[in-house]
């Protein structure tokens, strides 16, 4: 029977064709089919029409028709196609479909036999699985079923759909391993040999997702062959200039992820001579903005932790100027990727940082990025700034000229995400180093209170950055600044930080205290006001179950206190602390031996008030004998320190 339909127009208003909606619920399969076809045609490419259709509550009906095995096959197929079209709508449309269980329903329908229904379901599933709201869980049966549709006898559409779907099925290490265990590398390697871009690109995307940060899976992939050629070597042929750009990008991304997962060595020519140059080339202005952004994103990841790659990239094909040009592009992806490459380039080398910062308009772009309305741009700009702020020279010059600290403090003082706040506070740590001219204006704008607040956050990275920045601020600072830090932070919070589960926080807190009691004039002033609390802190650490490295910091605090003219009385009057010092002089850890001897050396310095009394007391406690005992077994550096300390004791 031929279906009679009204002529379709691209701008048909679904709201004015209520009869089509009514026919969707008809028991007459032909009317139902005609209705779905009309609805399908009306919603293609139009979010307004999708909204209208969804508002009339037809999604449950479409799902019902799709699931019902007694429904005419053509109706089920068109229902799947229509749902797939709706899944390309707004976030609200997608969320409705996902919350209705559509993804799981479509997955289950893959167990049926009709090729047309399978094709429609695969296309629908491909669209649904790539939505950010999707939280699809693929079990082993699902993975095996999907792979069964990727055989050499299947259509190109099926193969492309399967590869695309599977690329979303490996977001966690467990999912990556599960996909590997069901034989995905071998199946995908066969698909890689197909001379078709629409298949190869999703295949490489899937391989890249599978091996991301997963060494075991990456190793499996590099040892899998495609036409008797190992996958990395095969991919190296796909990044040639004569290949489609999308293919080059995905091949380079896959090789990058394999390298970062330690499956390809950094000195392998596939990485140094093929992948890196390819990505640099694709960042150049002659390519489309989208392609340049994708290339820059992958390049940033490739060179992120390798200083050799950073140096090669920095001098390659005018990359820096190409990235500055990319910063001027309108898309968020382009600007974000450019900032990320700059962050990677400047991570280690001072010359590269200088070259970047000296590039015209670059710092203006960074400042603009810090206040951009898009949170992803702000985050990328902050990370770029953090990388560049490692430059001592630039902290004194360019950063001061641009008053970088202002937008950075505004970010920290606002309500940013934890990720953004972590990056911004990391940059603040560098801006508060002793040679930075930004310290004083930041102090005037309340940076101490900001940092003290960070030390109370639940996220350990924020606590670490807060106390780290305070430690930097306290180094060689004026007495007024140190008093402000200690008063603002408070002794109760210091004790909480010393009990922190993160050892890094504990170490930086001890580093802060060490800076607060140095030099000797400050040690006297700080101990006069806070002596009992500081000594309590030191004893707490020395008696705790901490590593030698942690206890060394506590002993260094004692050494600074011992250097003070009056502060040393807090040690000499505490026999418990003195006994601990003597015990640590014979500790098997060299760092503790050296720190304790250094403290004794400061306590026994000649020519200071009360020196003779201190020397006699320590001699009576056996310090001189212990020094003589350990002298023969000490390394040369410690031996010299011991000899110097022994010279302080009178011979009689």
């Amino acid at each position: 029977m031929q279906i009679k339909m009204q002529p379709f127009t691209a701008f048909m208003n679904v709201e004015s064709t209520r009869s089509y909606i009514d026919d969707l619920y008809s028991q007459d399969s032909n009317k139902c089919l005609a209705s779905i076809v009309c609805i399908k045609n009306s919603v293609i490419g139009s979010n307004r029409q999708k909204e209208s259709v969804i508002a009339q509550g037809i999604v449950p009906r479409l799902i019902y028709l799709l699931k019902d095995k007694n429904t005419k096959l053509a109706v089920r197929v068109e229902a799947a196609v229509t749902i797939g079209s709706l899944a390309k709508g707004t976030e609200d449309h997608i969320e409705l479909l996902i919350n209705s269980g559509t993804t799981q329903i479509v997955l289950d329908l893959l167990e049926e036999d009709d090729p047309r229904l399978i094709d429609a379901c695969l296309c629908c599933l491909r669209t649904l699985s790539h939505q950010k709201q999707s939280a699809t869980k693929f079990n082993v049966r699902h993975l095996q079923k999907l792979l069964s549709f990727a055989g050499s006898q299947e259509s190109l559409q099926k193969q492309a759909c399967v590869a695309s779907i599977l690329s979303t099925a490996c977001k966690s290490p467990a999912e990556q391993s599960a996909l590997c265990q069901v034989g995905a590398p071998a199946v995908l390697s066969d698909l890689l040999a197909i001379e078709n871009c629409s298949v190869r690109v999703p295949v490489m995307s899937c391989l890249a997702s599978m091996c991301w940060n997963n060494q075991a899976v990456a190793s499996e992939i590099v040892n899998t062959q495609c036409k008797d050629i190992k996958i990395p070597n095969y991919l190296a042929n796909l990044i040639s200039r004569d290949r489609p750009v999308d293919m080059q990008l995905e091949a380079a991304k896959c090789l990058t992820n394999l390298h970062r997962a330690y499956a390809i060595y950094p000195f392998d020519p596939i990485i140094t001579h093929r992948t890196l140059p390819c990505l640099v080339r694709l960042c150049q202005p002659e390519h489309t903005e989208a392609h340049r952004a994708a290339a820059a994103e992958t390049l940033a990841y490739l060179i992120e932790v390798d200083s050799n790659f950073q140096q090669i990239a920095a001098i390659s094909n005018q990359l820096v100027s190409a990235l500055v040009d990319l910063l001027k592009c309108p898309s968020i992806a382009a600007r974000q990727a450019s900032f990320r490459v700059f962050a990677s380039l400047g991570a280690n080398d001072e010359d590269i940082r200088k070259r970047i910062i000296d590039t015209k308009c670059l710092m203006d772009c960074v400042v603009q990025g810090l206040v951009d309305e898009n949170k992803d741009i702000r985050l990328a700009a902050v990370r770029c700034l953090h990388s560049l702020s490692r430059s001592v020279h630039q902290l004194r010059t360019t950063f001061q000229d641009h008053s970088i600290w202002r937008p950075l403090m505004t970010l920290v003082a606002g309500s940013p995400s934890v990720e953004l706040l972590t990056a911004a506070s990391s940059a603040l740590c560098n801006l508060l180093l002793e040679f930075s001219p930004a310290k004083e204006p930041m102090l005037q704008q309340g940076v101490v209170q900001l940092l003290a607040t960070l030390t109370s956050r639940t996220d350990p990275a924020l606590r670490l950055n807060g106390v780290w920045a305070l430690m930097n601020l306290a180094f060689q600072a004026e007495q007024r600044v140190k008093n402000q830090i200690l008063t603002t932070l408070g002794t109760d919070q210091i004790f909480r930080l010393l009990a922190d589960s993160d050892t890094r926080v504990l170490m930086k807190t001890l580093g802060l205290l060490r800076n607060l009691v140095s030099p000797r004039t400050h040690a006297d002033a700080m101990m006069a006001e806070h002596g009992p609390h500081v000594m309590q802190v030191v004893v707490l650490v020395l008696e705790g179950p901490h590593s030698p490295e942690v206890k060394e910091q506590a002993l260094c605090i004692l050494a600074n206190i011992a250097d003070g003219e009056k502060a040393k009385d807090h040690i000499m009057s505490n026999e418990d602390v003195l006994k601990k010092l003597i015990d640590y002089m014979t500790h098997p850890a060299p760092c503790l031996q050296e720190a304790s001897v250094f403290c004794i050396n400061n306590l026994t310095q000649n020519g200071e008030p009360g020196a003779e009394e201190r020397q006699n007391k320590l001699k009576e406690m056996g310090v001189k004998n212990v020094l003589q005992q350990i002298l023969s077994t000490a390394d040369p550096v410690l031996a010299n320190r011991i000899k110097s300390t022994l010279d302080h004791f009178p011979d009689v």
Side-chain angles (χ1 to χ4, degrees):
M1 176 180 176
Q2 188 175 5
I3 302 171
K4 292 185 179 180
M5 295 179 58
Q6 294 181 7
F8 170 74
T9 62
F11 302 100
M12 186 181 77
N13 189 340
V14 174
E15 294 167 330
S16 65
T17 56
R18 182 68 205 180
S19 61
Y20 285 97
I21 302 297
D22 293 338
D23 286 346
L24 184 64
Y25 296 87
S26 172
Q27 297 302 310
D28 185 333
S29 60
N30 291 322
K31 285 186 176 181
C32 187
L33 177 59
S35 172
I36 295 179
V37 171
C38 179
I39 293 169
K40 177 192 72 174
N41 291 338
S42 71
V43 300
I44 291 174
S46 171
N47 283 343
R48 185 177 68 84
Q49 296 287 52
K50 289 181 175 70
E51 180 68 35
S52 177
V53 165
I54 289 174
Q56 295 183 65
I58 71 164
V59 170
R61 177 61 177 172
L62 289 173
I63 293 174
Y64 172 80
L65 293 171
L66 177 61
K67 289 170 55 179
D68 187 11
K69 294 184 179 181
N70 295 320
T71 298
K72 187 176 180 179
L73 180 62
V75 172
R76 300 179 72 193
V77 170
E78 292 297 335
V81 173
T82 305
I83 290 172
S85 181
L86 293 175
K88 296 176 181 177
T90 66
E91 290 187 2
D92 290 340
H93 303 158
I94 298 160
E95 187 174 356
L96 173 65
L97 291 171
I98 290 173
N99 290 341
S100 300
T102 309
T103 307
Q104 188 61 48
I105 292 167
V106 175
L107 261 176
D108 293 339
L109 288 174
L110 296 179
E111 297 291 342
E112 299 201 20
D113 299 324
D114 188 86
R116 290 178 298 167
L117 182 61
I118 296 298
D119 284 345
C121 286
L122 284 173
C123 289
C124 180
L125 185 59
R126 174 174 58 183
T127 303
L128 286 168
S129 63
H130 278 274
Q131 306 304 328
K132 64 181 181 180
Q133 300 97 321
S134 177
T136 309
K137 297 297 181 183
F138 296 87
N139 59 35
V140 172
R141 176 59 186 161
H142 292 148
L143 298 177
Q144 291 172 332
K145 192 65 180 179
L146 285 166
L147 288 172
S148 72
F149 297 127
S152 58
Q153 303 303 315
E154 300 291 349
S155 67
L156 294 177
Q157 177 178 282
K158 274 186 179 176
Q159 293 168 335
C161 280
V162 168
S164 183
I165 293 165
L166 290 178
S167 68
T168 69
C170 43
K171 296 174 182 175
S172 69
E175 291 174 337
Q176 292 167 328
S177 299
L179 193 52
C180 186
Q181 288 166 6
V182 296
V187 174
L188 293 172
S189 69
D190 290 339
L191 296 182
L192 199 58
I194 297 174
E195 295 283 347
N196 186 286
C197 191
S198 66
V199 175
R200 274 180 167 166
V201 168
V203 165
M204 290 186 287
S205 177
C206 185
L207 288 170
S209 297
M210 279 183 66
C211 68
W212 187 81
N213 206 26
N214 190 320
Q215 187 174 6
V217 173
S219 298
E220 180 71 23
I221 290 173
V222 298
N223 289 311
T224 302
Q225 294 190 342
C226 174
K227 287 188 172 181
D228 298 325
I229 302 173
K230 286 189 175 181
I231 283 182
N233 299 91
Y234 201 91
L235 291 172
N237 293 324
L238 301 181
I239 56 177
S240 301
R241 292 173 182 264
D242 59 340
R243 301 288 185 174
V245 174
D246 287 331
M247 189 180 295
Q248 294 181 52
L249 281 170
E250 286 303 326
K253 182 177 181 179
C254 190
L255 288 167
T256 294
N257 288 2
L258 288 169
H259 160 65
R260 288 299 305 271
Y262 305 102
I264 302 178
Y265 292 115
F267 48 79
D268 192 311
I270 289 177
I271 301 297
T272 56
H273 297 160
R274 302 300 301 276
T275 308
L276 179 55
C278 171
L279 291 169
V280 171
R281 170 168 47 81
L282 293 177
C283 288
Q284 301 305 313
E286 61 264 26
H287 297 286
T288 67
E289 184 176 326
H291 287 152
R292 295 175 69 196
E297 193 73 36
T298 303
L299 178 62
Y301 184 53
L302 175 63
I303 68 174
E304 182 181 25
V305 296
D306 193 304
S307 58
N308 184 47
F309 286 173
Q310 292 157 12
Q311 291 172 353
I312 294 172
I315 60 173
S316 298
N317 202 16
Q318 298 183 326
L319 176 63
V320 171
S321 58
L323 292 172
V324 172
D325 181 73
L326 197 59
L327 278 176
K328 299 174 184 177
C329 292
S331 76
I332 292 171
R335 291 151 61 205
Q336 178 179 323
S338 182
F339 277 132
R340 286 181 175 174
V341 180
F342 278 128
S344 294
L345 282 172
N348 293 290
D349 191 277
E350 178 69 13
D351 289 338
I352 295 176
R353 283 194 287 263
K354 185 177 187 307
R355 192 182 317 154
I356 292 171
I357 292 172
D358 288 345
T359 302
K360 186 178 180 181
C361 300
L362 188 278
M363 290 309 297
D364 291 332
C365 290
V366 173
V367 173
Q368 291 168 10
L370 294 176
V371 296
D372 196 276
E373 61 182 14
N374 183 273
K375 60 181 178 61
D376 294 326
I377 294 292
R378 292 198 301 273
L379 178 60
V382 167
R383 285 178 171 161
C384 176
L385 174 63
H386 179 218
S387 177
L388 299 177
S389 68
R390 297 186 178 108
S391 170
V392 174
H393 175 71
Q394 302 305 329
L395 282 175
R396 289 173 170 164
T397 55
T398 307
F399 278 34
Q400 182 66 8
D401 294 341
H402 287 80
S403 297
I404 289 289
W405 62 271
R406 290 185 184 276
L408 198 59
M409 278 194 64
T410 301
L411 272 178
V412 176
S415 301
S417 65
V418 170
E419 190 176 20
L420 179 56
L421 184 55
T422 302
S425 55
S426 295
L428 276 183
C429 288
N430 291 341
L431 292 180
L432 289 170
L433 290 167
E434 83 277 6
F435 45 74
S436 171
K439 283 177 64 173
E440 190 57 40
M442 291 171 73
L443 279 168
Q444 294 173 5
Q445 294 299 316
V447 73
V448 174
Q449 182 60 59
L450 274 179
L451 298 174
T453 302
L454 284 182
T455 67
S456 300
R457 296 292 292 259
T458 56
D459 187 273
L462 293 178
R463 296 198 302 276
L464 174 64
N465 284 350
V467 73
W468 196 334
L470 287 171
M471 182 189 76
N472 288 348
L473 183 59
F475 183 70
Q476 295 186 356
E478 297 177 17
Q479 183 65 49
R480 63 178 179 85
V481 175
K482 293 182 178 181
N483 285 333
Q484 184 184 356
I485 291 172
L486 200 51
T487 302
T488 305
L489 197 57
T491 52
D492 289 344
Q493 179 60 13
I494 290 176
F495 280 112
R496 281 191 286 269
L497 291 170
L498 291 172
D500 201 287
S501 58
D502 191 319
T503 304
R504 298 172 303 167
V505 174
L506 169 58
M507 288 287 281
K508 294 304 176 186
T509 304
L510 292 171
L512 167 62
L513 291 173
R514 185 176 173 181
N515 288 345
L516 290 175
V517 291
S518 174
R520 65 183 308 179
T521 54
H522 290 183
D524 286 335
M526 296 299 292
M527 294 304 291
E529 190 168 350
H530 305 284
H533 286 124
V534 174
M535 293 302 295
Q536 190 178 354
V537 163
V538 173
V539 171
L540 179 69
V541 174
L542 291 178
E543 291 182 347
H546 301 296
S547 67
E549 290 74 23
V550 171
K551 293 189 176 185
E552 179 190 14
Q553 290 299 309
L555 290 174
C556 287
I557 293 172
L558 282 181
N560 284 358
I561 295 171
D563 188 44
E565 182 178 338
K566 296 181 179 179
K568 54 172 56 80
D569 293 342
H570 288 274
I571 299 176
M572 293 304 301
S573 62
N574 192 325
E575 290 209 7
D576 183 45
V577 170
L578 291 175
K579 289 177 181 178
K580 285 180 170 58
L581 281 173
I582 296 171
D583 289 341
Y584 283 120
M585 288 166 62
T586 58
H587 195 280
C591 63
L592 296 182
Q593 280 189 327
E594 187 168 349
S596 55
V597 170
F598 183 45
C599 186
I600 295 294
N601 182 282
N602 285 348
L603 288 172
T604 56
Q605 286 285 349
N606 288 316
E608 296 187 355
E612 186 175 348
E613 290 83 354
R614 289 190 294 274
Q615 292 163 0
N616 289 334
K617 181 175 181 177
L618 291 172
K619 184 177 180 181
E620 290 173 4
M621 295 181 71
V623 169
K624 185 176 181 181
N625 291 336
V626 173
L627 288 170
Q628 291 170 335
Q629 290 170 12
I630 64 175
L631 179 60
S632 60
T633 59
D635 64 66
V637 175
L638 179 57
N640 288 334
R641 177 79 67 185
I642 293 171
K643 291 175 183 177
S644 173
T645 306
L646 283 170
D647 288 342
H648 296 164
F649 289 91
D651 294 332
V652 293

